[in-house]
Amino acid sequence: MKGGGMAELEEAASPLPPKRVDVDAIETAVGDLLRGLGQGDKAEVMAQTPRRVAELYAQSINPGDIDIEEDFKVFDNPGLDDLILVNDVHYVSMCEHHLAPAFGIAHLGYVPDRKVAGYSKLKKGLNYLSRQPQLNERLVVQAVDFLESRLQPKGIGLILRSAHCCIALRTNAPSQEVVTVADLRGVLREDRYRQPLWSSAVAERPSFLGR
């Protein structure tokens, strides 16, 4: 899906380097939001909630002191020339349209050339990119762009499956819809690599939704 025509997915702003937040500004804005929601007469809510929400959002948008450019290390390929799969990587994102959480599971596959990456680094890269107001369609492209630039693989593919709280809030019911987006490049477009990745990704219903 790289190079698609959706203008809002082609913003110039880079997802890197680490994000900066203003907790005091968030606190003020949340206070205004609560008053707009008719909660301004609740002393305990107005005294504590704006700061709690501000700190939660600050932590969500910038989890820890991460410099992903510096932290993401790659290693020389010891001789692998077949598909590497990393399945069931859990992540949390935030719907850009409603600022509501989305819970996801990622499935990554790549055929290495000269470099490989530690599995924890793959999760760290996705976590960094997802922990901000996002669209799934943008997140999958950004994540593959980032991983492809570091690994320079023969092919790479990423499948994201997620459930979104904004759907549950608007329908007043637990969200059971699973949103799936994918970006496959290079040899991952070939059936011999594509099929194992897709089969592992959709083998069962994501566990965060319950049974």
Side-chain angles (χ1 to χ4, degrees), residues 85-124:
L85 288 175
V86 183
N87 291 116
D88 299 325
V89 178
H90 287 246
Y91 67 93
V92 178
S93 189
M94 187 183 298
C95 171
E96 182 178 279
H97 294 157
H98 306 97
L99 296 185
F103 302 95
I105 298 179
H107 305 271
L108 173 74
Y110 73 99
V111 177
D113 189 5
R114 297 181 180 181
K115 300 293 182 181
V116 295
Y119 305 132
S120 65
K121 302 303 183 185
L122 298 172
K123 181 167 185 173
K124 181 177 285 189

PDB file of all heavy atoms in Angstrom, residues 85-124:
ATOM      1  N   LEU A  85       9.759 -14.945  11.000  1.00  0.00           N
ATOM      2  CA  LEU A  85       8.442 -14.511  11.448  1.00  0.00           C
ATOM      3  C   LEU A  85       8.500 -14.104  12.912  1.00  0.00           C
ATOM      4  O   LEU A  85       9.087 -14.818  13.737  1.00  0.00           O
ATOM      5  CB  LEU A  85       7.405 -15.622  11.279  1.00  0.00           C
ATOM      6  CG  LEU A  85       6.945 -15.975   9.863  1.00  0.00           C
ATOM      7  CD1 LEU A  85       6.011 -17.182   9.901  1.00  0.00           C
ATOM      8  CD2 LEU A  85       6.249 -14.792   9.219  1.00  0.00           C
ATOM      9  N   VAL A  86       7.884 -12.983  13.226  1.00  0.00           N
ATOM     10  CA  VAL A  86       7.710 -12.553  14.609  1.00  0.00           C
ATOM     11  C   VAL A  86       6.217 -12.302  14.793  1.00  0.00           C
ATOM     12  O   VAL A  86       5.671 -11.340  14.254  1.00  0.00           O
ATOM     13  CB  VAL A  86       8.517 -11.282  14.924  1.00  0.00           C
ATOM     14  CG1 VAL A  86       8.367 -10.911  16.392  1.00  0.00           C
ATOM     15  CG2 VAL A  86       9.993 -11.477  14.579  1.00  0.00           C
ATOM     16  N   ASN A  87       5.560 -13.178  15.558  1.00  0.00           N
ATOM     17  CA  ASN A  87       4.106 -13.129  15.680  1.00  0.00           C
ATOM     18  C   ASN A  87       3.662 -12.637  17.059  1.00  0.00           C
ATOM     19  O   ASN A  87       4.405 -12.691  18.028  1.00  0.00           O
ATOM     20  CB  ASN A  87       3.501 -14.516  15.438  1.00  0.00           C
ATOM     21  CG  ASN A  87       3.643 -14.963  14.008  1.00  0.00           C
ATOM     22  OD1 ASN A  87       4.324 -15.952  13.728  1.00  0.00           O
ATOM     23  ND2 ASN A  87       3.021 -14.254  13.092  1.00  0.00           N
ATOM     24  N   ASP A  88       2.405 -12.177  17.084  1.00  0.00           N
ATOM     25  CA  ASP A  88       1.727 -11.842  18.337  1.00  0.00           C
ATOM     26  C   ASP A  88       2.456 -10.771  19.147  1.00  0.00           C
ATOM     27  O   ASP A  88       2.636 -10.889  20.356  1.00  0.00           O
ATOM     28  CB  ASP A  88       1.522 -13.095  19.190  1.00  0.00           C
ATOM     29  CG  ASP A  88       0.670 -14.128  18.489  1.00  0.00           C
ATOM     30  OD1 ASP A  88      -0.250 -13.744  17.750  1.00  0.00           O
ATOM     31  OD2 ASP A  88       0.931 -15.337  18.662  1.00  0.00           O
ATOM     32  N   VAL A  89       2.863  -9.701  18.471  1.00  0.00           N
ATOM     33  CA  VAL A  89       3.484  -8.563  19.143  1.00  0.00           C
ATOM     34  C   VAL A  89       2.368  -7.588  19.539  1.00  0.00           C
ATOM     35  O   VAL A  89       1.767  -6.942  18.683  1.00  0.00           O
ATOM     36  CB  VAL A  89       4.505  -7.866  18.220  1.00  0.00           C
ATOM     37  CG1 VAL A  89       5.099  -6.645  18.917  1.00  0.00           C
ATOM     38  CG2 VAL A  89       5.609  -8.842  17.807  1.00  0.00           C
ATOM     39  N   HIS A  90       2.085  -7.504  20.817  1.00  0.00           N
ATOM     40  CA  HIS A  90       0.998  -6.641  21.284  1.00  0.00           C
ATOM     41  C   HIS A  90       1.444  -5.183  21.325  1.00  0.00           C
ATOM     42  O   HIS A  90       2.584  -4.889  21.665  1.00  0.00           O
ATOM     43  CB  HIS A  90       0.533  -7.080  22.668  1.00  0.00           C
ATOM     44  CG  HIS A  90      -0.247  -8.353  22.667  1.00  0.00           C
ATOM     45  ND1 HIS A  90      -1.571  -8.408  23.001  1.00  0.00           N
ATOM     46  CD2 HIS A  90       0.119  -9.626  22.339  1.00  0.00           C
ATOM     47  CE1 HIS A  90      -2.005  -9.668  22.896  1.00  0.00           C
ATOM     48  NE2 HIS A  90      -0.985 -10.416  22.500  1.00  0.00           N
ATOM     49  N   TYR A  91       0.526  -4.303  20.979  1.00  0.00           N
ATOM     50  CA  TYR A  91       0.817  -2.870  21.049  1.00  0.00           C
ATOM     51  C   TYR A  91      -0.472  -2.117  21.364  1.00  0.00           C
ATOM     52  O   TYR A  91      -1.578  -2.652  21.222  1.00  0.00           O
ATOM     53  CB  TYR A  91       1.418  -2.362  19.725  1.00  0.00           C
ATOM     54  CG  TYR A  91       0.475  -2.397  18.547  1.00  0.00           C
ATOM     55  CD1 TYR A  91      -0.290  -1.280  18.202  1.00  0.00           C
ATOM     56  CD2 TYR A  91       0.325  -3.545  17.775  1.00  0.00           C
ATOM     57  CE1 TYR A  91      -1.155  -1.301  17.134  1.00  0.00           C
ATOM     58  CE2 TYR A  91      -0.540  -3.580  16.698  1.00  0.00           C
ATOM     59  CZ  TYR A  91      -1.285  -2.460  16.375  1.00  0.00           C
ATOM     60  OH  TYR A  91      -2.153  -2.493  15.311  1.00  0.00           O
ATOM     61  N   VAL A  92      -0.321  -0.887  21.818  1.00  0.00           N
ATOM     62  CA  VAL A  92      -1.455  -0.005  22.088  1.00  0.00           C
ATOM     63  C   VAL A  92      -1.258   1.257  21.262  1.00  0.00           C
ATOM     64  O   VAL A  92      -0.159   1.816  21.215  1.00  0.00           O
ATOM     65  CB  VAL A  92      -1.562   0.357  23.581  1.00  0.00           C
ATOM     66  CG1 VAL A  92      -2.727   1.307  23.823  1.00  0.00           C
ATOM     67  CG2 VAL A  92      -1.715  -0.897  24.423  1.00  0.00           C
ATOM     68  N   SER A  93      -2.317   1.686  20.614  1.00  0.00           N
ATOM     69  CA  SER A  93      -2.260   2.911  19.842  1.00  0.00           C
ATOM     70  C   SER A  93      -3.409   3.811  20.278  1.00  0.00           C
ATOM     71  O   SER A  93      -4.145   3.497  21.220  1.00  0.00           O
ATOM     72  CB  SER A  93      -2.352   2.606  18.342  1.00  0.00           C
ATOM     73  OG  SER A  93      -2.093   3.762  17.574  1.00  0.00           O
ATOM     74  N   MET A  94      -3.542   4.938  19.609  1.00  0.00           N
ATOM     75  CA  MET A  94      -4.589   5.897  19.936  1.00  0.00           C
ATOM     76  C   MET A  94      -5.227   6.389  18.645  1.00  0.00           C
ATOM     77  O   MET A  94      -4.528   6.865  17.749  1.00  0.00           O
ATOM     78  CB  MET A  94      -4.002   7.078  20.712  1.00  0.00           C
ATOM     79  CG  MET A  94      -5.026   8.055  21.235  1.00  0.00           C
ATOM     80  SD  MET A  94      -4.234   9.458  22.068  1.00  0.00           S
ATOM     81  CE  MET A  94      -3.387   8.617  23.405  1.00  0.00           C
ATOM     82  N   CYS A  95      -6.524   6.216  18.540  1.00  0.00           N
ATOM     83  CA  CYS A  95      -7.242   6.640  17.342  1.00  0.00           C
ATOM     84  C   CYS A  95      -7.077   8.149  17.142  1.00  0.00           C
ATOM     85  O   CYS A  95      -7.434   8.949  18.007  1.00  0.00           O
ATOM     86  CB  CYS A  95      -8.718   6.283  17.474  1.00  0.00           C
ATOM     87  SG  CYS A  95      -9.770   6.987  16.185  1.00  0.00           S
ATOM     88  N   GLU A  96      -6.544   8.534  16.020  1.00  0.00           N
ATOM     89  CA  GLU A  96      -6.305   9.948  15.736  1.00  0.00           C
ATOM     90  C   GLU A  96      -7.600  10.741  15.646  1.00  0.00           C
ATOM     91  O   GLU A  96      -7.632  11.936  15.946  1.00  0.00           O
ATOM     92  CB  GLU A  96      -5.529  10.064  14.427  1.00  0.00           C
ATOM     93  CG  GLU A  96      -5.172  11.476  14.026  1.00  0.00           C
ATOM     94  CD  GLU A  96      -4.359  11.505  12.753  1.00  0.00           C
ATOM     95  OE1 GLU A  96      -3.142  11.292  12.816  1.00  0.00           O
ATOM     96  OE2 GLU A  96      -4.966  11.715  11.686  1.00  0.00           O
ATOM     97  N   HIS A  97      -8.674  10.091  15.245  1.00  0.00           N
ATOM     98  CA  HIS A  97      -9.938  10.798  15.046  1.00  0.00           C
ATOM     99  C   HIS A  97     -10.692  11.052  16.348  1.00  0.00           C
ATOM    100  O   HIS A  97     -11.486  11.989  16.433  1.00  0.00           O
ATOM    101  CB  HIS A  97     -10.830  10.010  14.086  1.00  0.00           C
ATOM    102  CG  HIS A  97     -10.274   9.927  12.706  1.00  0.00           C
ATOM    103  ND1 HIS A  97     -10.619   8.938  11.813  1.00  0.00           N
ATOM    104  CD2 HIS A  97      -9.372  10.706  12.058  1.00  0.00           C
ATOM    105  CE1 HIS A  97      -9.971   9.116  10.674  1.00  0.00           C
ATOM    106  NE2 HIS A  97      -9.214  10.181  10.806  1.00  0.00           N
ATOM    107  N   HIS A  98     -10.482  10.189  17.378  1.00  0.00           N
ATOM    108  CA  HIS A  98     -11.263  10.308  18.608  1.00  0.00           C
ATOM    109  C   HIS A  98     -10.421  10.301  19.874  1.00  0.00           C
ATOM    110  O   HIS A  98     -10.969  10.418  20.978  1.00  0.00           O
ATOM    111  CB  HIS A  98     -12.277   9.150  18.696  1.00  0.00           C
ATOM    112  CG  HIS A  98     -13.155   9.034  17.491  1.00  0.00           C
ATOM    113  ND1 HIS A  98     -12.889   8.150  16.460  1.00  0.00           N
ATOM    114  CD2 HIS A  98     -14.273   9.713  17.136  1.00  0.00           C
ATOM    115  CE1 HIS A  98     -13.811   8.283  15.523  1.00  0.00           C
ATOM    116  NE2 HIS A  98     -14.661   9.220  15.897  1.00  0.00           N
ATOM    117  N   LEU A  99      -9.100  10.146  19.776  1.00  0.00           N
ATOM    118  CA  LEU A  99      -8.210  10.055  20.934  1.00  0.00           C
ATOM    119  C   LEU A  99      -8.663   8.975  21.910  1.00  0.00           C
ATOM    120  O   LEU A  99      -8.613   9.152  23.137  1.00  0.00           O
ATOM    121  CB  LEU A  99      -8.091  11.409  21.643  1.00  0.00           C
ATOM    122  CG  LEU A  99      -7.452  12.536  20.835  1.00  0.00           C
ATOM    123  CD1 LEU A  99      -7.284  13.773  21.707  1.00  0.00           C
ATOM    124  CD2 LEU A  99      -6.105  12.120  20.252  1.00  0.00           C
ATOM    125  N   ALA A 100      -9.108   7.851  21.352  1.00  0.00           N
ATOM    126  CA  ALA A 100      -9.494   6.691  22.148  1.00  0.00           C
ATOM    127  C   ALA A 100      -8.511   5.561  21.860  1.00  0.00           C
ATOM    128  O   ALA A 100      -7.993   5.450  20.744  1.00  0.00           O
ATOM    129  CB  ALA A 100     -10.925   6.256  21.802  1.00  0.00           C
ATOM    130  N   PRO A 101      -8.242   4.701  22.849  1.00  0.00           N
ATOM    131  CA  PRO A 101      -7.245   3.647  22.651  1.00  0.00           C
ATOM    132  C   PRO A 101      -7.671   2.618  21.614  1.00  0.00           C
ATOM    133  O   PRO A 101      -8.859   2.368  21.384  1.00  0.00           O
ATOM    134  CB  PRO A 101      -7.134   2.996  24.031  1.00  0.00           C
ATOM    135  CG  PRO A 101      -7.705   3.990  24.988  1.00  0.00           C
ATOM    136  CD  PRO A 101      -8.763   4.722  24.221  1.00  0.00           C
ATOM    137  N   ALA A 102      -6.670   2.016  21.006  1.00  0.00           N
ATOM    138  CA  ALA A 102      -6.854   0.858  20.144  1.00  0.00           C
ATOM    139  C   ALA A 102      -5.842  -0.189  20.590  1.00  0.00           C
ATOM    140  O   ALA A 102      -4.684   0.138  20.866  1.00  0.00           O
ATOM    141  CB  ALA A 102      -6.631   1.213  18.679  1.00  0.00           C
ATOM    142  N   PHE A 103      -6.294  -1.438  20.684  1.00  0.00           N
ATOM    143  CA  PHE A 103      -5.435  -2.524  21.136  1.00  0.00           C
ATOM    144  C   PHE A 103      -5.136  -3.431  19.949  1.00  0.00           C
ATOM    145  O   PHE A 103      -6.062  -3.889  19.269  1.00  0.00           O
ATOM    146  CB  PHE A 103      -6.120  -3.311  22.251  1.00  0.00           C
ATOM    147  CG  PHE A 103      -6.485  -2.448  23.431  1.00  0.00           C
ATOM    148  CD1 PHE A 103      -7.755  -1.895  23.536  1.00  0.00           C
ATOM    149  CD2 PHE A 103      -5.557  -2.172  24.416  1.00  0.00           C
ATOM    150  CE1 PHE A 103      -8.087  -1.091  24.610  1.00  0.00           C
ATOM    151  CE2 PHE A 103      -5.879  -1.363  25.496  1.00  0.00           C
ATOM    152  CZ  PHE A 103      -7.145  -0.824  25.588  1.00  0.00           C
ATOM    153  N   GLY A 104      -3.853  -3.663  19.711  1.00  0.00           N
ATOM    154  CA  GLY A 104      -3.500  -4.388  18.502  1.00  0.00           C
ATOM    155  C   GLY A 104      -2.497  -5.505  18.713  1.00  0.00           C
ATOM    156  O   GLY A 104      -1.819  -5.587  19.743  1.00  0.00           O
ATOM    157  N   ILE A 105      -2.427  -6.369  17.710  1.00  0.00           N
ATOM    158  CA  ILE A 105      -1.428  -7.433  17.637  1.00  0.00           C
ATOM    159  C   ILE A 105      -0.803  -7.370  16.253  1.00  0.00           C
ATOM    160  O   ILE A 105      -1.514  -7.326  15.240  1.00  0.00           O
ATOM    161  CB  ILE A 105      -2.043  -8.820  17.890  1.00  0.00           C
ATOM    162  CG1 ILE A 105      -2.643  -8.887  19.293  1.00  0.00           C
ATOM    163  CG2 ILE A 105      -0.990  -9.910  17.722  1.00  0.00           C
ATOM    164  CD1 ILE A 105      -3.290 -10.216  19.617  1.00  0.00           C
ATOM    165  N   ALA A 106       0.534  -7.341  16.232  1.00  0.00           N
ATOM    166  CA  ALA A 106       1.271  -7.234  14.978  1.00  0.00           C
ATOM    167  C   ALA A 106       1.918  -8.562  14.627  1.00  0.00           C
ATOM    168  O   ALA A 106       2.332  -9.331  15.503  1.00  0.00           O
ATOM    169  CB  ALA A 106       2.339  -6.152  15.095  1.00  0.00           C
ATOM    170  N   HIS A 107       2.016  -8.804  13.318  1.00  0.00           N
ATOM    171  CA  HIS A 107       2.689  -9.996  12.794  1.00  0.00           C
ATOM    172  C   HIS A 107       3.660  -9.521  11.720  1.00  0.00           C
ATOM    173  O   HIS A 107       3.250  -8.922  10.725  1.00  0.00           O
ATOM    174  CB  HIS A 107       1.677 -10.973  12.204  1.00  0.00           C
ATOM    175  CG  HIS A 107       0.585 -11.349  13.174  1.00  0.00           C
ATOM    176  ND1 HIS A 107       0.701 -12.408  14.040  1.00  0.00           N
ATOM    177  CD2 HIS A 107      -0.619 -10.784  13.418  1.00  0.00           C
ATOM    178  CE1 HIS A 107      -0.396 -12.488  14.784  1.00  0.00           C
ATOM    179  NE2 HIS A 107      -1.213 -11.513  14.417  1.00  0.00           N
ATOM    180  N   LEU A 108       4.932  -9.802  11.942  1.00  0.00           N
ATOM    181  CA  LEU A 108       5.987  -9.331  11.051  1.00  0.00           C
ATOM    182  C   LEU A 108       6.701 -10.501  10.394  1.00  0.00           C
ATOM    183  O   LEU A 108       6.971 -11.516  11.040  1.00  0.00           O
ATOM    184  CB  LEU A 108       7.011  -8.501  11.838  1.00  0.00           C
ATOM    185  CG  LEU A 108       8.276  -8.085  11.074  1.00  0.00           C
ATOM    186  CD1 LEU A 108       7.952  -6.974  10.084  1.00  0.00           C
ATOM    187  CD2 LEU A 108       9.368  -7.656  12.037  1.00  0.00           C
ATOM    188  N   GLY A 109       7.010 -10.327   9.124  1.00  0.00           N
ATOM    189  CA  GLY A 109       7.841 -11.302   8.433  1.00  0.00           C
ATOM    190  C   GLY A 109       8.848 -10.579   7.557  1.00  0.00           C
ATOM    191  O   GLY A 109       8.516  -9.570   6.941  1.00  0.00           O
ATOM    192  N   TYR A 110      10.077 -11.088   7.529  1.00  0.00           N
ATOM    193  CA  TYR A 110      11.053 -10.514   6.608  1.00  0.00           C
ATOM    194  C   TYR A 110      12.069 -11.562   6.198  1.00  0.00           C
ATOM    195  O   TYR A 110      12.337 -12.524   6.926  1.00  0.00           O
ATOM    196  CB  TYR A 110      11.734  -9.273   7.191  1.00  0.00           C
ATOM    197  CG  TYR A 110      12.741  -9.487   8.293  1.00  0.00           C
ATOM    198  CD1 TYR A 110      14.118  -9.498   8.025  1.00  0.00           C
ATOM    199  CD2 TYR A 110      12.340  -9.625   9.623  1.00  0.00           C
ATOM    200  CE1 TYR A 110      15.057  -9.660   9.040  1.00  0.00           C
ATOM    201  CE2 TYR A 110      13.264  -9.784  10.640  1.00  0.00           C
ATOM    202  CZ  TYR A 110      14.624  -9.807  10.346  1.00  0.00           C
ATOM    203  OH  TYR A 110      15.540  -9.969  11.350  1.00  0.00           O
ATOM    204  N   VAL A 111      12.580 -11.397   4.994  1.00  0.00           N
ATOM    205  CA  VAL A 111      13.649 -12.242   4.482  1.00  0.00           C
ATOM    206  C   VAL A 111      14.914 -11.394   4.516  1.00  0.00           C
ATOM    207  O   VAL A 111      15.023 -10.406   3.788  1.00  0.00           O
ATOM    208  CB  VAL A 111      13.353 -12.727   3.053  1.00  0.00           C
ATOM    209  CG1 VAL A 111      14.528 -13.554   2.520  1.00  0.00           C
ATOM    210  CG2 VAL A 111      12.069 -13.548   3.029  1.00  0.00           C
ATOM    211  N   PRO A 112      15.874 -11.730   5.377  1.00  0.00           N
ATOM    212  CA  PRO A 112      17.032 -10.853   5.560  1.00  0.00           C
ATOM    213  C   PRO A 112      17.992 -10.905   4.377  1.00  0.00           C
ATOM    214  O   PRO A 112      18.029 -11.873   3.619  1.00  0.00           O
ATOM    215  CB  PRO A 112      17.688 -11.428   6.822  1.00  0.00           C
ATOM    216  CG  PRO A 112      17.315 -12.863   6.815  1.00  0.00           C
ATOM    217  CD  PRO A 112      15.919 -12.920   6.239  1.00  0.00           C
ATOM    218  N   ASP A 113      18.724  -9.829   4.274  1.00  0.00           N
ATOM    219  CA  ASP A 113      19.838  -9.796   3.339  1.00  0.00           C
ATOM    220  C   ASP A 113      21.123  -9.829   4.170  1.00  0.00           C
ATOM    221  O   ASP A 113      21.572 -10.892   4.564  1.00  0.00           O
ATOM    222  CB  ASP A 113      19.763  -8.560   2.453  1.00  0.00           C
ATOM    223  CG  ASP A 113      20.783  -8.583   1.318  1.00  0.00           C
ATOM    224  OD1 ASP A 113      21.482  -9.609   1.170  1.00  0.00           O
ATOM    225  OD2 ASP A 113      20.882  -7.599   0.588  1.00  0.00           O
ATOM    226  N   ARG A 114      21.655  -8.689   4.509  1.00  0.00           N
ATOM    227  CA  ARG A 114      22.900  -8.661   5.279  1.00  0.00           C
ATOM    228  C   ARG A 114      22.686  -8.430   6.770  1.00  0.00           C
ATOM    229  O   ARG A 114      23.599  -8.652   7.566  1.00  0.00           O
ATOM    230  CB  ARG A 114      23.820  -7.563   4.732  1.00  0.00           C
ATOM    231  CG  ARG A 114      24.255  -7.780   3.290  1.00  0.00           C
ATOM    232  CD  ARG A 114      25.181  -6.669   2.833  1.00  0.00           C
ATOM    233  NE  ARG A 114      25.620  -6.855   1.450  1.00  0.00           N
ATOM    234  CZ  ARG A 114      26.443  -6.042   0.810  1.00  0.00           C
ATOM    235  NH1 ARG A 114      26.925  -4.960   1.425  1.00  0.00           N
ATOM    236  NH2 ARG A 114      26.792  -6.284  -0.450  1.00  0.00           N
ATOM    237  N   LYS A 115      21.484  -7.968   7.161  1.00  0.00           N
ATOM    238  CA  LYS A 115      21.261  -7.583   8.545  1.00  0.00           C
ATOM    239  C   LYS A 115      20.035  -8.275   9.134  1.00  0.00           C
ATOM    240  O   LYS A 115      19.079  -8.586   8.430  1.00  0.00           O
ATOM    241  CB  LYS A 115      21.076  -6.059   8.660  1.00  0.00           C
ATOM    242  CG  LYS A 115      22.264  -5.233   8.165  1.00  0.00           C
ATOM    243  CD  LYS A 115      23.494  -5.428   9.049  1.00  0.00           C
ATOM    244  CE  LYS A 115      24.654  -4.566   8.567  1.00  0.00           C
ATOM    245  NZ  LYS A 115      25.873  -4.774   9.418  1.00  0.00           N
ATOM    246  N   VAL A 116      20.094  -8.499  10.438  1.00  0.00           N
ATOM    247  CA  VAL A 116      18.940  -8.975  11.205  1.00  0.00           C
ATOM    248  C   VAL A 116      18.823  -8.082  12.439  1.00  0.00           C
ATOM    249  O   VAL A 116      19.757  -7.362  12.797  1.00  0.00           O
ATOM    250  CB  VAL A 116      19.078 -10.454  11.635  1.00  0.00           C
ATOM    251  CG1 VAL A 116      19.095 -11.373  10.425  1.00  0.00           C
ATOM    252  CG2 VAL A 116      20.322 -10.663  12.489  1.00  0.00           C
ATOM    253  N   ALA A 117      17.659  -8.143  13.099  1.00  0.00           N
ATOM    254  CA  ALA A 117      17.425  -7.315  14.291  1.00  0.00           C
ATOM    255  C   ALA A 117      16.959  -8.187  15.433  1.00  0.00           C
ATOM    256  O   ALA A 117      16.316  -9.227  15.227  1.00  0.00           O
ATOM    257  CB  ALA A 117      16.386  -6.239  13.997  1.00  0.00           C
ATOM    258  N   GLY A 118      17.287  -7.762  16.667  1.00  0.00           N
ATOM    259  CA  GLY A 118      16.758  -8.449  17.834  1.00  0.00           C
ATOM    260  C   GLY A 118      15.251  -8.304  17.916  1.00  0.00           C
ATOM    261  O   GLY A 118      14.702  -7.272  17.528  1.00  0.00           O
ATOM    262  N   TYR A 119      14.586  -9.316  18.426  1.00  0.00           N
ATOM    263  CA  TYR A 119      13.126  -9.302  18.443  1.00  0.00           C
ATOM    264  C   TYR A 119      12.587  -8.180  19.326  1.00  0.00           C
ATOM    265  O   TYR A 119      11.563  -7.568  19.010  1.00  0.00           O
ATOM    266  CB  TYR A 119      12.594 -10.659  18.915  1.00  0.00           C
ATOM    267  CG  TYR A 119      13.123 -11.819  18.111  1.00  0.00           C
ATOM    268  CD1 TYR A 119      13.631 -12.953  18.727  1.00  0.00           C
ATOM    269  CD2 TYR A 119      13.134 -11.762  16.711  1.00  0.00           C
ATOM    270  CE1 TYR A 119      14.136 -14.005  17.982  1.00  0.00           C
ATOM    271  CE2 TYR A 119      13.639 -12.811  15.963  1.00  0.00           C
ATOM    272  CZ  TYR A 119      14.140 -13.934  16.606  1.00  0.00           C
ATOM    273  OH  TYR A 119      14.652 -14.969  15.871  1.00  0.00           O
ATOM    274  N   SER A 120      13.256  -7.892  20.431  1.00  0.00           N
ATOM    275  CA  SER A 120      12.786  -6.815  21.303  1.00  0.00           C
ATOM    276  C   SER A 120      12.858  -5.463  20.592  1.00  0.00           C
ATOM    277  O   SER A 120      12.040  -4.572  20.851  1.00  0.00           O
ATOM    278  CB  SER A 120      13.611  -6.768  22.592  1.00  0.00           C
ATOM    279  OG  SER A 120      14.956  -6.420  22.321  1.00  0.00           O
ATOM    280  N   LYS A 121      13.822  -5.303  19.688  1.00  0.00           N
ATOM    281  CA  LYS A 121      13.942  -4.043  18.953  1.00  0.00           C
ATOM    282  C   LYS A 121      12.788  -3.874  17.968  1.00  0.00           C
ATOM    283  O   LYS A 121      12.311  -2.766  17.732  1.00  0.00           O
ATOM    284  CB  LYS A 121      15.271  -3.986  18.204  1.00  0.00           C
ATOM    285  CG  LYS A 121      16.483  -4.139  19.097  1.00  0.00           C
ATOM    286  CD  LYS A 121      16.520  -3.088  20.194  1.00  0.00           C
ATOM    287  CE  LYS A 121      17.780  -3.216  21.028  1.00  0.00           C
ATOM    288  NZ  LYS A 121      17.800  -2.294  22.164  1.00  0.00           N
ATOM    289  N   LEU A 122      12.341  -4.978  17.393  1.00  0.00           N
ATOM    290  CA  LEU A 122      11.196  -4.909  16.490  1.00  0.00           C
ATOM    291  C   LEU A 122       9.961  -4.412  17.236  1.00  0.00           C
ATOM    292  O   LEU A 122       9.216  -3.566  16.740  1.00  0.00           O
ATOM    293  CB  LEU A 122      10.927  -6.281  15.876  1.00  0.00           C
ATOM    294  CG  LEU A 122      12.055  -6.862  15.013  1.00  0.00           C
ATOM    295  CD1 LEU A 122      11.744  -8.301  14.633  1.00  0.00           C
ATOM    296  CD2 LEU A 122      12.293  -6.027  13.769  1.00  0.00           C
ATOM    297  N   LYS A 123       9.774  -4.927  18.444  1.00  0.00           N
ATOM    298  CA  LYS A 123       8.627  -4.485  19.238  1.00  0.00           C
ATOM    299  C   LYS A 123       8.801  -3.034  19.672  1.00  0.00           C
ATOM    300  O   LYS A 123       7.848  -2.258  19.677  1.00  0.00           O
ATOM    301  CB  LYS A 123       8.462  -5.382  20.462  1.00  0.00           C
ATOM    302  CG  LYS A 123       7.270  -4.983  21.322  1.00  0.00           C
ATOM    303  CD  LYS A 123       6.917  -6.042  22.331  1.00  0.00           C
ATOM    304  CE  LYS A 123       5.641  -5.650  23.087  1.00  0.00           C
ATOM    305  NZ  LYS A 123       5.158  -6.718  23.972  1.00  0.00           N
ATOM    306  N   LYS A 124      10.019  -2.648  20.047  1.00  0.00           N
ATOM    307  CA  LYS A 124      10.258  -1.279  20.486  1.00  0.00           C
ATOM    308  C   LYS A 124       9.968  -0.282  19.367  1.00  0.00           C
ATOM    309  O   LYS A 124       9.382   0.778  19.589  1.00  0.00           O
ATOM    310  CB  LYS A 124      11.704  -1.124  20.971  1.00  0.00           C
ATOM    311  CG  LYS A 124      12.022   0.275  21.479  1.00  0.00           C
ATOM    312  CD  LYS A 124      13.446   0.372  22.007  1.00  0.00           C
ATOM    313  CE  LYS A 124      13.574  -0.299  23.348  1.00  0.00           C
ATOM    314  NZ  LYS A 124      14.907  -0.025  23.965  1.00  0.00           N
TER     315      LYS A 124
END
